[in-house]
Amino acid sequence: MSFTRIIVLLVLLIQSCFNIAFGQEKKIAKQEIEKLSDESVKLMREGHHEKSLTLSRITLNYALTAKDTILIAKSYNTIAANFDELTEPDKALFYYNKGLIYAEKTTNGELKNWLYNNLGNIYCFNKKEYEKGISYYKKSLYYSTKIKDSVQIAFTKLNIAWAYFDIGVYNDGYPY
C-alpha cells in the first residue's frame, strides 16, 4: 500500500471515530426543555411524583447540556418539591440548595423567591430550625418585593409571622 492510501485510511478512521463520539449527543431546543419542565410540574401537582421526578431529571440533563442556569434551577426546584411532597425533607433540602446555587447566577427574582421560600418552609415546618427558616423567608420577601408579586409578599409575610409565633416571639411577628 502506498503512503497516501495509509494516510487517507487513517484520516477516515479518525473522522468516523469522532462522528461516533460526538454524534450521540441529542440537542434539544430551549422551548422543548421548557415544555418538559412544565409537564413535570403538572405531573407533580396532579400527585404523580415518580413520573414527575423522572421527567424532571430528564429535563435537568437537557438543561445542563444547554447550560441554561434558569432551567437548571427550575429543574432542581421541581425535583426538590417532589421530595418535599413525598415527605423526604433532607432530599428536598439538598435539591433546593442545588437549585439556589444556579438561581443565584441569574437575574430571575421569581425563581430566587421560590427557592428561598421553599428553603424557609423546610427549615420552619420540617426541621423546626425557625431562625434559619425566617432568614430564608426574609430573602424570599426581598425578591417578592423586588418583582412586585403582591400575592407572594402576603404569603411570605404570613410565613414569617407564623414562624415567629411558633417560637413565641410575638413582637417580631406582629409587623408581618
Side-chain angles (χ1 to χ4, degrees):
M1 242 192 221
S2 72
F3 181 72
T4 50
R5 284 187 180 177
I6 293 172
I7 296 296
V8 170
L9 183 62
L10 283 173
V11 168
L12 288 174
L13 284 173
I14 291 171
Q15 182 181 11
S16 67
C17 288
F18 279 110
N19 286 342
I20 291 170
F22 294 110
Q24 299 298 320
E25 186 177 309
K26 182 180 176 186
K27 300 250 178 177
I28 186 167
K30 182 178 178 176
Q31 293 81 8
E32 291 299 316
I33 301 170
E34 288 172 346
K35 283 182 187 176
L36 291 173
S37 177
D38 292 344
E39 181 64 23
S40 66
V41 170
K42 180 182 172 212
L43 287 168
M44 179 188 66
R45 288 184 177 148
E46 292 173 352
H48 304 290
H49 300 292
E50 298 300 324
K51 289 179 183 177
S52 176
L53 274 170
T54 301
L55 191 55
S56 295
R57 288 183 171 139
I58 291 168
T59 305
L60 176 61
N61 286 332
Y62 285 132
L64 286 166
T65 301
K67 297 179 182 163
D68 187 314
T69 52
I70 291 174
L71 286 172
I72 293 169
K74 281 184 180 180
S75 296
Y76 278 128
N77 187 57
T78 305
I79 292 168
N82 274 293
F83 282 122
D84 197 6
E85 289 291 321
L86 293 169
T87 60
E88 296 191 44
D90 291 330
K91 288 182 181 177
L93 183 63
F94 173 79
Y95 287 105
Y96 283 137
N97 278 315
K98 294 276 284 186
L100 188 58
I101 290 168
Y102 285 93
E104 286 296 337
K105 296 176 182 179
T106 73
T107 58
N108 189 319
E110 183 180 34
L111 185 57
K112 292 175 188 179
N113 177 46
W114 293 344
L115 286 157
Y116 279 118
N117 188 69
N118 291 337
L119 283 163
N121 289 340
I122 292 287
Y123 280 108
C124 285
F125 297 115
N126 297 100
K127 297 208 168 274
K128 306 298 182 196
E129 295 178 29
Y130 292 100
E131 292 300 324
K132 200 167 193 176
I134 290 168
S135 72
Y136 280 112
Y137 283 144
K138 287 181 178 178
K139 290 177 184 173
S140 174
L141 184 59
Y142 166 78
Y143 285 107
S144 56
T145 303
K146 187 174 179 179
I147 62 172
K148 298 177 179 143
D149 185 341
S150 59
V151 173
Q152 195 62 41
I153 291 168
F155 182 67
T156 305
K157 284 183 175 184
L158 180 64
N159 281 338
I160 294 170
W162 189 342
Y164 276 125
F165 290 175
D166 269 1
I167 57 175
V169 187
Y170 299 105
N171 288 337
D172 289 345
Y174 286 132
Y176 295 100

